[in-house]
Amino acid sequence: MVQRLSQRVQQIAPSATMSVDAKTKALLQAGQPVVNMSVGEPDFDTPVAAAFAGVQAIVNGNTRYTAAAGTVELRRAIAEKLARENGLAYTPNQIVVSSGAKHTLYNIFMSILDPGDEVIVPAPYWVSYPEQIRLAGGVPVVVESDESTGFKMTPERLAAALTKKTKAVLLNSPNNPTGAVYNASELRALGDVLQNHDCLIVTDEIYEKLVYGVEYTSFAAACPDLMDRTLLVNGFSKAFAMTGWRLGYVACAEDLATAMASLQSHGTGSPSTMSQAAGLAAFAAFNSDVVSAFWRRRDVLVAGLRNIAGIECELPDGAFYVFPNVRAAFGRAYEGRVIGNALDYAEVLLEKHWVATVPGDAFGAPNNIRLSYATSLQNVEEALRRIQDFHRVLGF
């Protein structure tokens, strides 16, 4: 019998975040009072100016294909944004707009990797990085970090992971799932290690606007000598609450951009014309009140978790996640069921106390769980009450 599925597809691990979200929604539809702390999606609306621009594009008949790399107008606006906010000089020809930052990352790995090429991936990592690298024939090389390093890859660990097969190093700051943010000196220290190693640097900066009390620095700005080797990924989903619009981009050397535009032309083609119109308007419509709201929720959530016996929690500097360590619960029993790992912890918390989280195993950190505070302050406070009750049952 003919094998219906390719080995490539059979080797893909399902997205843990999407799986948890699907289970959570099923419970909600069944009438269960779940507090969803699992999904990485802002609970704010798309800025009105951006939404109106998208609708206006439709009404005006601006619904046809654009260039595969995106409209010149949007790519020019992205270049202006990168110059104004990040101190980086790019031309529109160095920018490719895609259907979300996830799509952008997929294009990158498909364009730069040959079978056996290694990509250094600091852990904890976003769930899709290793899978996308494997789909492109590459080998993810995980570099561990934990609370002792602030969930950041150190120069020493980076240097130890580099080999002749290293094609790229991936950096995500602010980080999903930890919220860790590399400062300029930390980025320069990593850049010093990479100066003498001929590899590319992929920087996922999708959460750059969501930082709390710290200054954000783009890797290419901290390490200008490495700008030609850097592929800067960003998008509109998180800061502008435009997840469903599916709009992201990469800025990089022109030869890399040309290759990715060509790949995209044979895959999805151009990104949504209406979404591009909305993205163009979004740059002038960023609402800083969103940052203030996230900041407040972060403080309440971290303070509450630190007051629960059996939980250790770092204070994240960015994104909208906290990543508490729950290993103290391992080995304890809940109504006869032993909590053996973070997956057990997350499942029992969801099934018995109706709080949806994501187990850290999915992010390469089996002692932790991820909670998203991209939800109301009321939900944050209710989740804390339920987690406190959960830990009382566990005997803390």
Side-chain angles (χ1 to χ4, degrees):
M1 182 176 178
V2 174
Q3 179 62 52
R4 294 168 65 89
L5 299 176
S6 70
Q7 292 183 6
R8 180 187 304 110
V9 169
Q10 292 181 66
Q11 292 171 0
I12 299 174
S15 169
T17 51
M18 294 297 184
S19 298
V20 171
D21 189 49
K23 185 173 184 179
T24 300
K25 288 176 179 175
L27 288 169
L28 287 168
Q29 288 176 354
Q32 302 298 346
V34 177
V35 178
N36 191 356
M37 305 291 285
S38 69
V39 68
E41 184 171 36
D43 58 323
F44 299 97
D45 291 329
T46 298
V48 172
F52 181 75
V55 172
Q56 192 172 39
I58 297 171
V59 172
N60 292 343
N62 187 15
T63 58
R64 302 185 182 279
Y65 297 133
T66 71
T71 65
V72 173
E73 292 80 9
L74 179 55
R75 286 183 285 133
R76 184 180 296 117
I78 291 169
E80 292 170 353
K81 177 268 179 207
L82 292 170
R84 179 178 64 253
E85 297 182 6
N86 304 101
L88 299 171
Y90 289 100
T91 68
N93 289 338
Q94 294 177 282
I95 294 167
V96 179
V97 182
S98 303
S99 300
K102 180 182 284 190
H103 183 208
T104 296
L105 286 159
Y106 182 79
N107 282 346
I108 289 172
F109 296 130
M110 291 298 292
S111 297
I112 69 172
L113 296 180
D114 287 317
D117 284 344
E118 295 178 351
V119 180
I120 292 176
V121 181
Y125 48 72
W126 179 50
V127 295
S128 291
Y129 293 146
E131 302 308 320
Q132 289 192 349
I133 291 165
R134 293 188 187 102
L135 280 170
V139 179
V141 176
V142 175
V143 175
E144 303 289 346
S145 71
D146 55 23
E147 291 87 351
S148 66
T149 62
F151 291 119
K152 300 175 188 178
M153 179 171 63
T154 64
E156 294 76 17
R157 292 182 183 178
L158 171 60
L162 289 166
T163 73
K164 292 181 179 179
K165 293 183 178 181
T166 303
K167 185 63 176 289
V169 175
L170 178 60
L171 290 175
N172 174 211
S173 175
N175 178 264
N176 174 9
T178 68
V181 180
Y182 290 84
N183 62 38
S185 63
E186 290 168 335
L187 293 174
R188 283 192 290 269
L190 296 176
D192 289 343
V193 174
L194 295 171
Q195 284 287 351
N196 298 317
H197 195 96
D198 187 20
C199 66
L200 299 169
I201 303 100
V202 180
T203 65
D204 183 348
E205 306 185 7
I206 189 69
Y207 295 96
E208 67 159 340
K209 287 185 176 292
L210 305 180
V211 294
Y212 316 110
V214 298
E215 183 178 353
Y216 180 77
T217 303
S218 178
F219 177 83
C223 305
D225 291 346
L226 298 176
M227 183 172 171
D228 184 64
R229 291 201 264 143
T230 300
L231 297 95
L232 186 160
V233 177
N234 209 325
F236 297 81
S237 293
K238 309 302 182 181
F240 298 101
M242 294 176 65
T243 51
W245 294 85
R246 307 312 304 136
L247 197 64
Y249 60 86
V250 62
C252 56
E254 190 168 344
D255 61 324
L256 296 170
T258 299
M260 279 180 275
S262 178
L263 174 71
Q264 183 162 285
S265 73
H266 292 291
T268 59
S270 63
S272 162
T273 304
M274 296 72 74
S275 295
Q276 291 185 73
L280 187 62
F283 281 127
F286 177 68
N287 182 6
S288 60
D289 290 343
V290 169
V291 178
S292 299
F294 282 140
W295 196 337
R296 170 63 176 156
R297 296 173 190 176
R298 180 206 66 165
D299 289 350
V300 170
L301 182 55
V302 171
L305 290 171
R306 286 177 170 177
N307 282 329
I308 298 175
I311 292 179
E312 300 174 5
C313 189
E314 293 286 303
L315 181 69
D317 288 325
F320 40 63
Y321 310 106
V322 297
F323 203 56
N325 190 307
V326 296
R327 63 188 170 191
F330 300 170
R332 294 179 180 246
Y334 189 104
E335 297 179 357
R337 176 175 176 178
V338 175
I339 306 297
N341 50 41
L343 179 59
D344 291 340
Y345 182 101
E347 286 182 348
V348 175
L349 180 59
L350 176 58
E351 294 167 5
K352 298 296 185 179
H353 291 268
W354 311 117
V355 178
T357 64
V358 184
D361 310 64
F363 308 104
N367 292 326
N368 300 69
I369 61 170
R370 191 192 76 175
L371 291 88
S372 167
Y373 49 91
T375 186
S376 69
L377 188 58
Q378 180 181 358
N379 282 344
V380 169
E381 292 170 339
E382 178 61 24
L384 286 169
R385 283 191 288 270
R386 297 183 186 190
I387 295 170
Q388 178 78 72
D389 291 342
F390 177 47
H391 274 240
R392 287 196 186 103
V393 178
L394 289 175
F396 285 102

